[in-house]
Amino acid sequence: MNRITRDILVIDNKPDNLRSLFSVLHDNGYNVREALTWQMAVEICKIKLPDLILLDIIMPDIDGYEICLRLKKWHLTADIPIIFMSTINDIFDKVKAFNTGCVDYITKPFAFEEVLARINNHLELRRVKIEILQLNSELENRVKKRTQDLENALKELQHSIHVRQELQTKLLDIVLHDSLTGLPNRVLFIRKLENALGQAKQEPSYKFAVLFLDCDRFKVINDSLGHLVGDELLVAIAHRLQASLSPFDTLSRLGGDEFGILLENITDINSAIMIAEEILKNLSIAFHLSRYEVFMNASIGINWGSRDYDQPEYLLRDADTAMYRAKALGRARYHVFDPLMYQEAIKLLQLENDLRKAVERQEFLVYYQPIISLSTGKITSLEALVRWQHPIRGLVPPIEFIPASEEIGLINEINLWVLQTACETLANWYEQKLIDDDSLCVNVNLSARLFSQKELITQIDTIIEHTGINPINLKIEITESVIMENSTAIKNILYQLKERNIFLIMDDFGTGYSSLSYLHSFPFNSLKIDKSFVKRMQENQENMGLVPAMIGIAHSMGMAAIAEGVETPEQLAQLRSLNCDYAQGYLFSHPLHQELIIDLISSSPQW
Ligand code: C2E
Ligand code: MG
Ligand code: MG
């Protein structure tokens, strides 16, 4: 092992002493330096610190005790072990020496073995002490580093938690808000309703209302101006709605063109109504979009926030029901929900369910009502009128289920079945020679919904082909109001039907307000005057109301006039006097089951 040479400083004013010590220590492998005075000692220490100091007590100017005190005070030498050397062997002096900070005391004359042993001991002690100090500081450093590492790790962790939290907030924001308008979406709205409901249950003084707003005919904007314009309009509507509300209220986009509004801090239903009116007023002003100026009305359902609701969804459902009522009443208005409406909605749902089953179970029947030629007085045609043989309710008239089946998309199936059945029945009668005259026709009503599907013409062709009916014997009736709504598509189909020699009749004429020039552009063969005009004919004995004008219009356009709802002989006489071509009504016959109607036809009645 490579031993490090130890450095010993001997401070003694007597050169003799120094010399003898020097040689002994030097021979034992120590590096020895000597100082005769305190000043010399200081200079030596400044050059290089010794590992141990041997110090004589008796010195001329500054004695050993004082030197020891100074060395212990001086930060460079404070830790260097000092051994006193003295001829004084008094216990008092020894204690004094130890009090100045020395580590040992050797009395002269020296036994050199003892001196070496003591020096070795103290050097070893000092080495161990330094080692311990080093280890301590190393340990301290390690602890410091670890602490720093931990602190850094903690900081990193805190940062990543923060980033995560921010991300989570952002995600939550996306999940709970509508991306187009930035408004709360349905999920968040339902939560707000839930809170409001909870508060209302706890605090009787807390009042709230829910508004359900749906834009009127928004689809028209989307279809005609495109979705981008539609989106721009929705954002503008959202802004306008927000401007009509107070900061306490919540506006939400529920989806599509539907918005939900939660009104809080209100006193009664009238304040909710006032806000709805304000909204309708604000919406009625034109929207100036980047490329278009657009008008957009809305229908609003208002539901007062009763504490009796179990679920927030029901609050919204009933506001929705009220909104539908507002639409049905003519749009661009509000309607306040009342529980009766809920009963009706339930009834409608029941009806829809029953209807689906009815289609599956084929619970429909076709009744026939004769149409009389006023020139011959004989039956020329039969109008097919559908009935629903309901297992509990009995025979249900079409007015009670046709609109609902149009709503839920069952009308196609039902209506095509009627067409098929009517054609089949007539063809069968011809085949079985139950009718002698080959000019008997069947009139079938077609719903406007059928005209929006491309396959209609093919379906009609197939029915004609399969039943073998002559198209000349088929007449199609379409309600006037229906033609107005989707004219180009309908016109197109009507011309194709005309090409097939199918007669076309405008039904319920007078109820749809179509202009004459408009009427002219459609290929109708006949106008069927609505029964409400025929009814009023009698009340207005002198001029017979509008019926003469209507017959005149039909004739001037080269069409035949059919009067519907003829119930009295007077009406019949009046219509004859007006040169009306055909008539239909209870006076001749109610709509009848096919077996009864064939009996009637067979009896060849004449009026
Ligand atoms: P509509 O096509 O105008 O049919 C005439 C309605 O007037 C029939 O009612 C008929 O029973 C009734 N009626 C006939 N004569 C008189 C009368 O003298 N006085 C009175 N007050 N009423 C009379 P119904 O059968 O209840 O049908 C109502 C409506 O339902 C029909 O009006 C038609 O628009 C629709 N409808 C009936 N069957 C079908 C169908 O198969 N498809 C479609 N899409 N609609 C149908
Ligand atoms: Mg009809
Ligand atoms: Mg009619």
Side-chain angles (χ1 to χ4, degrees):
M1 205 166 91
N2 193 12
R3 226 183 127 206
I4 308 153
T5 315
R6 303 290 186 174
D7 195 277
I8 296 178
L9 170 63
V10 185
I11 309 171
D12 198 331
N13 62 323
K14 287 177 218 87
D16 290 350
N17 285 351
L18 285 175
R19 216 168 297 126
S20 57
L21 258 177
F22 180 90
S23 62
V24 173
L25 292 173
H26 192 265
D27 291 350
N28 278 279
Y30 292 103
N31 186 30
V32 187
R33 289 180 291 164
E34 304 142 334
L36 297 170
T37 62
W38 157 246
Q39 283 79 8
M40 277 176 76
V42 169
E43 292 313 314
I44 286 170
C45 285
K46 276 183 188 166
I47 294 165
K48 186 181 176 237
L49 288 173
D51 294 307
L52 186 133
I53 296 171
L54 292 173
L55 178 58
D56 191 23
I57 291 183
I58 302 161
M59 305 266 283
D61 293 329
I62 304 166
D63 69 7
Y65 297 127
E66 179 58 26
I67 291 176
C68 186
L69 283 171
R70 288 185 186 186
L71 285 169
K72 287 289 139 189
K73 246 188 223 166
W74 191 22
H75 71 280
L76 286 178
T77 50
D79 284 336
I80 299 173
I82 299 171
I83 300 175
F84 273 121
M85 309 175 289
S86 178
T87 44
I88 310 165
N89 198 3
D90 187 88
I91 190 74
F92 175 76
D93 288 289
K94 284 186 182 170
V95 170
K96 187 178 172 188
F98 277 110
N99 280 343
T100 60
C102 76
V103 291
D104 215 342
Y105 195 101
I106 314 173
T107 41
K108 296 185 197 173
F110 300 135
F112 283 113
E113 287 76 17
E114 185 194 347
V115 173
L116 284 173
R118 284 186 193 256
I119 287 175
N120 268 340
N121 255 353
H122 286 293
L123 280 175
E124 188 55 22
L125 268 177
R126 176 168 152 79
R127 191 190 61 78
V128 170
K129 202 173 155 191
I130 288 173
E131 207 173 81
I132 288 174
L133 278 175
Q134 268 172 355
L135 283 175
N136 263 351
S137 90
E138 221 169 82
L139 199 67
E140 228 167 70
N141 282 342
R142 261 196 220 174
V143 170
K144 257 189 211 159
K145 191 171 172 299
R146 268 291 155 92
T147 315
Q148 189 62 46
D149 285 353
L150 278 177
E151 268 171 18
N152 289 346
L154 188 69
K155 264 187 205 154
E156 252 169 54
L157 193 70
Q158 278 170 339
H159 177 72
S160 79
I161 287 176
H162 180 72
V163 170
R164 242 160 223 250
Q165 272 171 343
E166 270 188 353
L167 194 72
Q168 206 174 344
T169 326
K170 251 187 224 162
L171 279 178
L172 212 61
D173 207 62
I174 293 172
V175 170
L176 294 178
H177 288 84
D178 164 47
S179 58
L180 178 66
T181 59
L183 292 175
N185 63 12
R186 184 182 284 266
V187 179
L188 184 53
F189 191 64
I190 293 287
R191 280 194 201 170
K192 300 246 175 195
L193 289 185
E194 195 170 17
N195 290 344
L197 194 58
Q199 198 174 341
K201 283 186 198 289
Q202 283 180 350
E203 294 171 37
S205 62
Y206 173 80
K207 307 260 190 287
F208 71 102
V210 187
L211 269 54
F212 195 112
L213 183 147
D214 185 282
C215 298
D216 295 334
R217 299 195 172 95
F218 188 84
K219 200 176 167 297
V220 177
I221 300 281
N222 258 349
D223 290 351
S224 56
L225 303 180
H227 284 267
L228 283 181
V229 178
D231 283 356
E232 198 187 348
L233 179 60
L234 281 172
V235 173
I237 291 171
H239 283 152
R240 215 171 267 186
L241 290 176
Q242 196 82 70
S244 316
L245 301 174
S246 89
F248 304 112
D249 305 328
T250 305
L251 172 65
S252 150
R253 182 170 171 225
L254 302 172
D257 59 346
E258 294 173 347
F259 293 87
I261 298 167
L262 168 63
L263 300 176
E264 290 178 274
N265 286 331
I266 53 171
T267 47
D268 53 18
I269 188 73
N270 287 329
S271 33
I273 289 176
M274 270 162 61
I275 294 170
E277 282 172 345
E278 176 75 13
I279 289 174
L280 291 173
K281 198 179 89 192
N282 290 345
L283 284 183
S284 68
I285 304 163
F287 286 92
H288 298 282
L289 305 181
S290 52
R291 288 174 58 204
Y292 299 96
E293 189 185 69
V294 180
F295 285 89
M296 179 52 58
N297 283 318
S299 303
I300 302 177
I302 304 175
N303 188 16
W304 183 246
S306 157
R307 297 188 283 153
D308 304 334
Y309 278 95
D310 291 331
Q311 302 282 343
E313 286 86 354
Y314 297 162
L315 278 160
L316 194 60
R317 173 201 66 195
D318 289 349
D320 189 10
T321 305
M323 184 279 293
Y324 262 99
R325 183 57 60 91
K327 285 231 191 254
L329 290 172
R331 301 186 170 118
R333 69 186 62 214
Y334 67 82
H335 198 83
V336 181
F337 176 79
D338 75 75
L340 258 183
M341 286 164 60
Y342 177 63
Q343 299 302 330
E344 283 169 27
I346 289 281
K347 254 190 176 165
L348 188 66
L349 198 69
Q350 181 68 46
L351 176 71
E352 289 176 2
N353 278 340
D354 286 0
L355 263 177
R356 285 181 211 282
K357 282 186 212 146
V359 171
E360 269 171 38
R361 299 178 190 161
Q362 302 195 325
E363 291 174 352
F364 299 100
L365 275 179
V366 180
Y367 270 39
Y368 298 90
Q369 186 179 35
I371 297 169
I372 313 315
S373 158
L374 293 185
S375 54
T376 64
K378 289 187 172 168
I379 298 174
T380 67
S381 188
L382 302 172
E383 181 173 6
L385 295 160
V386 69
R387 303 294 180 250
W388 175 11
Q389 185 93 59
H390 193 283
I392 300 162
R393 291 165 63 193
L395 216 54
V396 182
I399 199 75
E400 288 182 31
F401 66 89
I402 292 279
S405 58
E406 286 180 335
E407 276 285 313
I408 57 174
L410 285 177
I411 188 64
N412 288 6
E413 224 167 314
I414 298 174
N415 216 153
L416 287 173
W417 177 83
V418 173
L419 180 65
Q420 158 99 22
T421 309
C423 293
E424 225 165 53
T425 308
L426 189 69
N428 276 343
W429 286 339
Y430 276 125
E431 210 182 289
Q432 294 170 28
K433 309 245 176 319
L434 291 176
I435 28 183
D436 3 285
D437 187 355
D438 63 1
S439 66
L440 186 72
C441 300
V442 68
N443 292 23
V444 178
N445 297 282
L446 286 190
S447 157
R449 297 289 158 123
L450 270 77
F451 287 79
S452 56
Q453 60 170 87
K454 293 192 196 86
E455 317 86 72
L456 179 64
I457 289 289
T458 337
Q459 284 163 333
I460 292 177
D461 283 345
T462 315
I463 288 174
I464 291 173
E465 199 190 320
H466 283 177
T467 57
I469 189 181
N470 185 346
I472 290 181
N473 295 124
L474 177 62
K475 301 186 179 189
I476 300 278
E477 298 191 9
I478 307 151
T479 305
E480 185 189 13
S481 54
V482 148
I483 297 161
M484 304 282 291
E485 282 187 12
N486 197 3
S487 58
T488 25
I490 292 184
K491 201 187 283 179
N492 188 0
I493 296 176
L494 290 181
Y495 274 101
Q496 294 187 55
L497 292 176
K498 194 182 169 73
E499 271 171 28
R500 286 160 174 75
N501 286 327
I502 296 171
F503 243 66
L504 302 172
I505 300 169
M506 179 185 271
D507 204 352
D508 307 322
F509 180 59
T511 58
Y513 313 104
S514 48
S515 74
L516 293 185
S517 60
Y518 192 72
L519 198 62
H520 201 72
S521 66
F522 286 90
F524 284 109
N525 304 93
S526 311
L527 293 184
K528 202 187 241 195
I529 301 165
D530 189 69
K531 48 185 170 290
S532 57
F533 298 95
V534 175
K535 192 171 182 197
R536 264 176 267 152
M537 215 166 44
Q538 255 177 313
E539 299 161 8
N540 234 324
Q541 281 293 352
E542 283 125 64
N543 58 12
M544 293 185 266
L546 289 173
V547 176
M550 288 171 153
I551 296 171
I553 289 169
H555 289 164
S556 71
M557 290 191 173
M559 295 189 253
I562 309 168
E564 188 187 67
V566 181
E567 294 183 359
T568 64
E570 290 76 19
Q571 287 168 340
L572 175 61
Q574 283 170 325
L575 288 165
R576 275 211 159 106
S577 75
L578 291 170
N579 279 329
C580 184
D581 306 276
Y582 302 96
Q584 171 184 6
Y586 296 163
L587 174 67
F588 314 105
S589 164
H590 278 256
L592 298 173
H593 190 272
Q594 67 172 76
E595 275 150 26
L596 293 177
I597 202 78
I598 195 68
D599 288 348
L600 179 72
I601 296 169
S602 308
S603 69
S604 303
Q606 191 168 9
W607 288 273

